[in-house]
């Protein structure tokens, strides 16, 4: 055999290693060991990837311990009763113990049968869901437990993906380790979205049945339990049968789980849904619109609108707000202003539609609801014109009802155009109507508007605020937002500055021509009275009572306009340049500021800012505004402990000396008795005030009141235009105030304005301002002799010649006569003091 054909053999020599290393080498030589290592490595990589992609950025579940769901802000009135709620979501937070156990069992039967057994994840349910998802190309679904739903809703959001499901599962484990089962259920039942803008089961109970949870029956609880699957799918109006079938399924599950008996199941299964129609949440108190909107603005400025603004936000912070809103006073103010506006516009024709919207087919109801227009005046209702005909127009209302407006019920002329209102109606017009027999009659919402504010002078608390005819028709709040010229209502501020700078109520001021050179740019300015002409020299009191412009500007000039506008600034009316025209009300201000200024006068010159909010509490009851707020200790004690009565601390700033303020109030009482507001005299109580009529006139005013309440009203067009020559504060605004006052002051004590210490009450001749002896003031408002208030050493005096000791008998006799006269005067002064004491302790 050839050498090339001999076989070749290869050998591998391996040295056997002893010890642990050798053991590992021998083990690694086996194929199944390699497979296990590879699988473990893949598992580790998978876990690392899960941590990097899923678990690394998951939120901490610890914040669930302190979780506080977004809650609405609740507003209460002066008596503690609810008046409004600021909410974008209906939500009521309850503890787990407050939920009926039968309702809890209904939700467990519907959503998570094994809730009390699993540790956050239902593995059989996940396996079944995964199998179904693999067979289907539709939206992936999963058997989310209640714990997973809490994780989704509160921690990771509602993203639709397998990644989100993985995050849910991990967080569910963590939640179960952190919270107890009742705590998890409490979170779930408080935050789950159930449709009709209701979040949480308690809110849904009101939204669907108008009941508290403890008033629901078994069938209603079972219906609420089906809603987490999709509230729109089980709408009680549109999908009634579907909702019934699902509800009955939940009842069957409750029966299987032993939560209810067969008899309970049968009774609930036969019951209809019984849900109430969907309703738009409204203010709990009619007529509070302008007041609560102003409160909302102030709260947003302070705390922010949503949770991004901080923990005390208006729409999420769950605040409890106590306000000074007095429902009774608000009703009186609203009625008086509305009646006054309608009275002024009576006979002027139809003011036109409230709004016009485009409608097509049967969508008129949704178009009507989207406008959010409402009326709460007597029996008036807003309606939309859905069709017009020769003899009648068809109307639609926001609740879905329809009606008819006959031609004869809409025959008022169209303002500024002529022709009947019926002929001017168009499809899509939203109008005001009122029931008239079996049909409806057209009504006209006035174009003119105005505002009415009521304030408590001792504290500055605003009791009522009406900023227009209706807040849902005219949202602009004229009480705080409309800048208007106050006219003659500014004069008490001007004269108060004069009194504070040396003048007296008896000072003689010339009612005559007054011109002033205002510089090269403004030139010569000559002022005039409202009625023209002048009446010569008169007392300050007479000038205020008769509202004489010439006397006012002369007084302002003598006092110094810098001092006058300085007081206007201090008293909160506004900041104005030192021009004389501002002494006649040329500067713009609001009725709210003017009412507060008069309240300062009535409060003896001590200023309290006008407030609508007494205090704000967080959801736990802690007062968070105003800062350093202190409760009145023992104010709510059930029994008197024999000690001094507790009184809240009322702080204020003295912006005008007390005597000057009282002198001005005392003078302005004469405006009611014999001046420009005598229409109020028959109210028969101590009251001061001042009318106002500005240039045009475009606005008419009255502001005044008693020691208990000060109120102010103005009316005018939003775009200023003349009201007509007959319109004056005493003939238009004062009657509105009177309508309010008749009801507002009913039953109240007739309290006089208290004079501060140091005031000297002197009998004077009303016309000349000179002191009077031997005569007393009477009850006639136009009596010649009146009591006037003076500062010490400022009252008018009669000079007395004092005789020395002489020997002449004639002179001695004269001296004796003089001494007798002095004795008589002293007796008269004592009589003055006695009289003042009898009149209630005026000093």
């Amino acid at each position: 055999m050839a050498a090339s054909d001999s076989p070749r053999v290869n050998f591998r020599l391996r040295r056997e290693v002893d010890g642990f290393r050798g053991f590992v080498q021998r083990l690694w030589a086996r194929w199944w060991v390699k497979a296990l290592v590879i699988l473990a490595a893949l598992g580790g990589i998978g876990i690392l990837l899960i941590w990097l992609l899923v678990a690394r950025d998951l939120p901490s579940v610890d914040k669930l311990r302190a979780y506080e769901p977004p809650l609405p802000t609740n507003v209460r009135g002066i008596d503690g009763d609810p008046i409004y709620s600021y909410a974008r979501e209906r939500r009521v937070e309850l503890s787990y113990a407050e939920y009926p156990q039968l309702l809890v069992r209904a939700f467990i039967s519907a959503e998570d049968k094994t809730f009390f057994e699993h540790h956050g994840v239902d593995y059989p349910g996940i396996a079944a869901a995964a199998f179904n998802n693999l067979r289907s190309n539709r939206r992936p679904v999963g058997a989310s437990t209640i714990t997973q739903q809490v994780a989704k809703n509160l921690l990771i959001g509602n993203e639709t993906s397998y990644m989100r499901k993985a995050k849910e599962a991990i967080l569910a484990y963590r939640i179960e380790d952190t919270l107890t089962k009742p705590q998890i259920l409490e979170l779930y039942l408080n935050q789950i979205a159930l449709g009709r803008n209701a979040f949480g089961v308690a809110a849904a109970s009101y939204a669907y049945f108008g009941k508290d949870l403890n008033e629901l029956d078994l069938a209603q609880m079972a219906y609420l339990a089906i809603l987490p699957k999709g509230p729109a799918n089980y709408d009680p109006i549109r999908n009634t049968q579907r909702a019934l079938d699902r509800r009955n399924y939940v009842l069957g599950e409750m029966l299987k789980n032993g939560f209810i008996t067969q008899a309970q199941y049968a009774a609930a299964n036969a019951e209809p849904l019984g849900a109430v129609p969907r309703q738009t949440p409204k203010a709990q108190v009619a007529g509070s619109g302008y007041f609560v909107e102003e409160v909302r603005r102030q709260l947003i400025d302070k705390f922010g609108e949503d949770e991004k603004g901080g923990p005390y936000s208006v729409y999420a912070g769950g605040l409890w707000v106590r306000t000074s809103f007095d429902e009774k006073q608000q009703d009186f103010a609203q009625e008086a202003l509305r009646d006054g506006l309608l009275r002024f516009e009576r006979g002027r024709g139809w003011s036109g539609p409230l709004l016009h919207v485009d409608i097509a087919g049967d969508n008129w109801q949704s178009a009507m609801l989207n406008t959010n227009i409402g009326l709460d005046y007597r029996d008036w209702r807003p309606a939309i014109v859905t069709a017009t005909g020769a003899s009648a127009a068809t109307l639609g209302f926001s609740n879905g009802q329809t009606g008819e407006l006959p031609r004869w019920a809409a025959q008022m002329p169209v303002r500024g155009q002529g022709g009947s209102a019926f002929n001017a109606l168009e499809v899509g017009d939203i109008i005001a109507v009122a029931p008239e027999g079996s049909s409806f009659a057209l009504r006209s919402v006035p174009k003119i508007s105005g505002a009415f504010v009521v304030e408590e002078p001792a504290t500055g608390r605003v009791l009522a605020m009406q900023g227009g005819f209706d807040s849902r028709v005219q949202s602009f709040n004229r009480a705080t937002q409309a800048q208007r010229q106050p006219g003659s209502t500014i004069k008490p501020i001007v004269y108060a500055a004069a009194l504070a700078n040396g003048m007296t109520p008896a000072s003689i001021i010339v009612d005559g021509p007054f011109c002033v050179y205002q510089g090269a740019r403004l030139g010569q300015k000559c002022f005039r009275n409202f009625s023209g002409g002048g009446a010569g020299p008169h007392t300050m009191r007479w000038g205020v009572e008769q509202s004489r412009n010439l006397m006012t500007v002369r007084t302002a000039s003598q006092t110094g306009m810098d001092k006058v506008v300085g007081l206007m600034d201090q008293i909160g009316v506004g900041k104005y340049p030192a021009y004389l025209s501002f002494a006649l009300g040329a500067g713009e201000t609001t009725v709210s500021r003017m009412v507060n200024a008069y309240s300062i006068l009535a409060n003896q010159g001590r200023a309290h800012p006008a407030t609508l909010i007494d205090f704000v509490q967080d959801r736990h009851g802690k007062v968070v505004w105003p800062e350093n707020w202190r409760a009145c200790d023992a104010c709510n004690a059930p029994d008197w402990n024999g000690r001094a009565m507790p009184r809240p601390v009322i702080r204020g700033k003295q912006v005008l000396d007390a005597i000057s303020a009282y002198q001005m109030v005392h003078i302005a009482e004469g405006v009611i008795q014999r001046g420009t507001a005598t229409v109020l005299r028959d109210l028969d109580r101590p009251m001061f005030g001042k009318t106002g009529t500005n240039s045009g006139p475009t606005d008419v005013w009255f502001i005044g009141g008693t020691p208990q309440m000060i109120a102010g009203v103005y009316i005018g067009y939003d775009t200023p235009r003349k009201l007509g020559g007959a319109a004056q504060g005493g003939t238009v605004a004062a009657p509105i105030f009177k309508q309010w006052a008749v009801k507002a002051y009913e039953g109240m004590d007739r309290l006089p304005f208290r004079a501060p210490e140091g005031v000297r009450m002197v009998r004077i001749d009303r016309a000349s301002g000179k002191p009077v002896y031997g005569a007393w003031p009477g009850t006639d408002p136009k009596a010649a002799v009146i009591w006037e208030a003076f500062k010490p050493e400022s009252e008018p005096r009669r000079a007395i010649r004092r005789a020395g000791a002489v020997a002449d008998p004639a002179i001695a006799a004269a001296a004796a006569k003089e001494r007798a006269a002095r004795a008589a005067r002293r007796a008269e002064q004592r009589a003055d003091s006695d009289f003042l004491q009898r009149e209630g302790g005026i000093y």
Side-chain angles (χ1 to χ4, degrees):
M1 177 179 291
S4 59
D5 295 332
S6 61
R8 301 179 65 179
V9 179
N10 294 323
F11 294 95
R12 175 181 293 177
L13 298 176
R14 185 169 62 187
R15 187 175 62 185
E16 190 72 28
V17 180
D18 297 329
F20 178 75
R21 183 178 175 186
F23 173 76
V24 171
Q25 286 182 349
R26 289 191 298 273
L27 198 63
W28 180 251
R30 291 167 173 75
W31 68 268
W32 57 270
V33 173
K34 294 179 180 179
L36 287 176
V37 171
I38 292 172
L39 289 175
L42 291 175
I45 293 172
I47 292 173
L48 178 63
L49 288 175
I50 291 174
W51 182 82
L52 290 174
L53 299 177
V54 181
R56 183 178 60 168
D57 297 325
L58 286 179
S60 171
V61 298
D62 289 335
K63 67 180 183 179
L64 291 180
R65 293 182 182 274
Y67 173 73
E68 293 182 336
L71 291 178
T73 290
N74 295 287
V75 183
R76 296 179 180 271
I78 195 170
D79 55 2
D81 290 340
I83 60 172
Y84 205 82
S85 178
Y86 306 119
R88 294 195 176 119
E89 300 175 352
R90 293 187 183 187
R91 193 187 296 272
V92 180
E93 185 179 17
L94 299 178
S95 66
Y96 176 76
E98 292 176 289
Y99 283 101
Q101 283 302 300
L102 198 58
L103 181 137
V104 173
R105 291 168 177 173
F107 272 86
I108 290 175
S109 299
E111 292 293 309
D112 191 355
K113 299 176 184 178
T114 60
F115 173 74
F116 285 102
E117 286 76 40
H118 64 65
H119 194 72
V121 179
D122 179 13
Y123 292 107
I126 289 177
F131 179 75
N132 291 331
N133 289 335
L134 291 174
R135 296 175 54 194
S136 173
N137 292 324
R138 293 179 299 176
R139 179 180 184 271
V141 297
S144 292
T145 63
I146 286 177
T147 311
Q148 287 177 273
Q149 293 182 55
V150 169
K152 175 187 70 175
N153 294 329
L154 299 184
L155 297 176
I156 60 176
N158 201 26
E159 175 192 359
T160 303
S161 67
Y162 290 107
M163 185 66 70
R164 194 261 296 168
K165 299 297 292 184
K167 291 179 179 179
E168 271 185 25
I170 295 172
L171 282 174
Y173 262 100
R174 294 180 181 178
I175 291 172
E176 293 277 350
D177 289 335
T178 304
L179 303 177
T180 65
K181 291 289 187 178
Q183 288 175 324
I184 295 170
L185 274 175
E186 180 180 311
L187 287 171
Y188 176 76
L189 295 173
N190 277 333
Q191 55 80 33
I192 189 71
L194 298 175
R196 292 194 176 183
N197 202 34
F199 291 79
V201 181
S205 177
Y206 286 107
Y208 286 95
F209 300 108
K211 297 178 180 180
D212 198 356
L213 282 178
N214 55 18
E215 299 174 327
L216 297 180
D217 61 23
L218 173 60
Q220 292 166 338
M221 292 178 184
Y223 173 77
L224 294 182
I226 74 175
L227 295 175
K229 291 295 185 186
N233 298 331
Y234 304 110
D235 183 271
I237 306 301
R238 296 192 302 269
N239 300 313
T240 306
Q241 190 56 48
R242 188 175 184 181
L244 277 170
D245 293 343
R246 179 67 181 174
R247 184 205 66 180
N248 294 341
Y249 164 79
V250 171
L251 289 171
E253 292 298 307
M254 294 181 72
L255 180 63
K256 289 180 183 178
N257 295 334
F259 295 150
I260 58 175
T261 64
Q262 183 66 45
Q264 287 177 304
Y265 169 79
N269 191 70
E271 189 176 312
L273 290 178
V276 298
R278 180 168 186 158
Q279 297 177 346
T280 302
K282 299 180 181 178
Q284 286 123 320
V285 175
S288 62
Y290 289 108
F291 192 102
V292 296
E293 175 59 19
E294 183 61 25
V295 170
R296 188 187 74 91
R297 289 193 187 101
Q298 294 183 15
L299 291 172
I300 288 177
D301 289 344
K302 179 66 179 178
F303 299 114
E305 191 167 350
D306 52 33
E307 58 269 14
K308 295 178 182 178
Y312 305 135
S313 60
V314 173
Y315 288 100
L319 301 177
W320 292 90
V321 182
R322 175 64 69 91
T323 71
S324 53
F325 178 84
D326 187 320
E327 183 179 356
K328 182 176 69 173
Q329 296 300 333
Q330 178 67 35
D331 289 344
F332 297 155
Q334 182 186 67
E335 182 182 24
L337 180 63
R338 285 175 165 181
D339 289 351
L341 297 176
L342 290 170
R343 196 162 52 239
F344 184 85
E345 293 227 328
R346 187 173 296 143
R348 296 173 186 259
W350 185 51
S351 59
L354 305 177
L355 191 67
H356 180 85
V357 295
D358 294 326
I359 60 175
D362 295 330
N363 73 334
W364 59 265
Q365 185 180 8
S366 60
M368 179 75 176
L369 289 171
N370 289 336
T371 65
N372 197 36
I373 287 179
L375 287 168
D376 62 1
Y377 179 70
R378 298 185 179 176
D379 58 352
W380 291 20
R381 298 175 64 184
I384 187 169
V385 179
T386 59
T388 57
S391 60
T394 304
L395 306 175
F397 298 94
S398 57
N399 60 1
Q401 295 178 347
T402 59
E404 187 177 81
L405 176 66
R407 173 181 287 274
W408 60 263
Q411 284 302 300
M412 65 179 74
V414 180
R415 182 183 307 182
Q417 298 180 16
S420 72
F422 185 85
N423 293 332
L425 293 176
E426 297 180 1
V427 173
D429 282 348
I430 297 178
I431 59 176
V433 296
E436 189 78 31
S438 60
S439 56
F440 291 88
L442 185 65
R443 294 291 184 263
S444 179
V445 173
K447 285 291 186 185
I448 195 170
S449 197
F452 201 114
V453 175
V454 183
E455 184 175 320
E456 185 179 69
T459 61
R461 302 167 81 198
V462 176
L463 306 179
M465 177 181 289
Q466 185 68 15
F469 187 82
D470 194 301
S471 61
R472 292 180 65 185
V473 176
Q474 306 165 332
S475 60
F476 182 65
N477 188 349
R478 294 153 191 84
T480 58
Q481 296 176 295
Q483 297 287 333
R484 318 295 287 202
Q485 292 182 343
S488 293
T489 58
I490 201 69
K491 290 178 181 177
I493 314 300
V494 176
Y495 285 106
L499 292 167
N501 286 277
M503 297 185 75
T504 75
S507 294
I508 300 299
I509 306 166
V510 176
D511 182 29
F514 188 84
C515 298
V516 62
Y517 181 70
Q518 303 182 101
R521 186 170 63 89
L522 297 176
Q524 187 85 353
K525 169 70 174 177
C526 290
F527 297 89
R528 62 183 297 274
N529 286 318
F530 182 81
S531 58
H538 280 282
T539 63
M540 177 191 288
R541 170 179 286 278
W542 186 86
V544 176
E545 292 176 355
Q546 303 304 316
S547 196
R548 308 298 286 183
N549 290 348
L550 292 174
M551 295 178 69
T552 305
V553 293
R554 193 180 299 274
T555 300
S557 179
Q558 292 176 6
T559 303
M561 228 12 236
D562 57 333
K563 297 176 181 177
V564 173
V565 297
L567 180 59
M568 290 179 183
D569 183 17
Q570 287 182 313
I571 213 164
V573 174
K575 295 179 180 292
Y576 308 119
Y579 295 127
L580 283 173
S581 57
F582 289 97
L584 298 179
E588 293 183 336
T589 187
T590 65
V591 67
S592 179
R593 291 181 183 177
M594 290 301 297
V595 169
N596 186 245
Y598 275 59
S599 294
I600 294 171
L601 293 178
N603 198 37
Q604 298 185 359
R606 184 172 291 275
H608 296 288
T611 61
L612 285 73
I613 300 172
D614 291 344
F615 57 85
V616 179
Q617 297 169 279
D618 66 12
R619 66 178 71 203
H620 304 296
K622 178 185 176 183
V623 176
V624 295
W625 190 41
E627 292 84 0
N628 301 319
W629 180 87
R630 294 291 183 271
C632 177
D633 294 333
C635 279
N636 294 325
D639 298 306
W640 182 43
N641 58 11
R643 300 178 182 177
M645 291 296 291
R647 297 185 182 276
V649 177
I650 299 176
R651 299 176 177 87
K653 180 182 178 182
Q654 197 74 37
V655 298
L656 177 66
D657 74 89
I659 297 181
S660 296
Y662 175 75
Q663 285 178 303
M664 193 63 250
V665 170
H666 190 62
I667 292 172
E669 287 186 89
V671 175
I672 310 295
Q673 295 301 313
R674 50 190 165 268
T676 57
T678 54
V679 67
L680 305 175
R681 190 165 62 200
D682 59 4
L683 291 174
D684 191 27
R685 64 174 57 244
M687 180 178 291
F688 85 114
K690 186 69 184 73
T691 58
T693 308
N694 64 8
S695 299
T698 58
D699 300 296
V700 291
W701 295 67
F702 179 83
I703 303 174
T706 69
Q708 297 103 317
M709 290 188 295
I710 305 295
V713 57
Y714 95 88
I715 72 168
Y717 292 101
D718 287 341
T719 302
R721 56 190 174 94
K722 292 185 178 180
L723 303 178
Q728 296 182 31
T731 59
V732 177
I736 295 175
F737 175 92
K738 183 177 183 179
Q739 181 178 340
W740 165 80
V742 168
K743 295 181 179 179
Y745 290 116
E746 185 178 1
M748 284 192 182
D749 295 333
R750 287 173 165 78
L751 299 179
F753 291 96
R754 291 181 57 198
E757 185 176 359
V759 167
R760 294 183 63 86
M761 303 301 296
V762 178
R763 292 172 292 161
I764 68 167
D765 177 72
R766 184 169 58 86
S768 66
K770 293 181 178 180
V772 172
Y773 300 93
W776 296 92
T779 56
D780 183 3
K782 295 186 177 181
V785 180
I786 62 171
W787 289 105
E788 194 60 274
F790 293 91
K791 295 177 182 177
E793 304 303 325
S794 70
E795 67 271 23
R797 297 176 182 273
R798 183 169 64 183
I800 300 173
R801 180 185 176 193
R802 295 183 178 276
V806 294
D808 191 322
I811 296 176
K817 186 176 180 181
E818 178 65 22
R819 286 194 296 272
R822 286 201 299 268
R825 286 195 295 273
R826 285 195 297 270
E828 208 167 33
Q829 289 171 358
R830 286 195 299 272
D832 285 357
S833 177
D834 294 342
F835 174 80
L836 292 174
Q837 292 298 326
R838 291 196 304 271
E839 288 298 306
I842 302 175
Y843 53 91

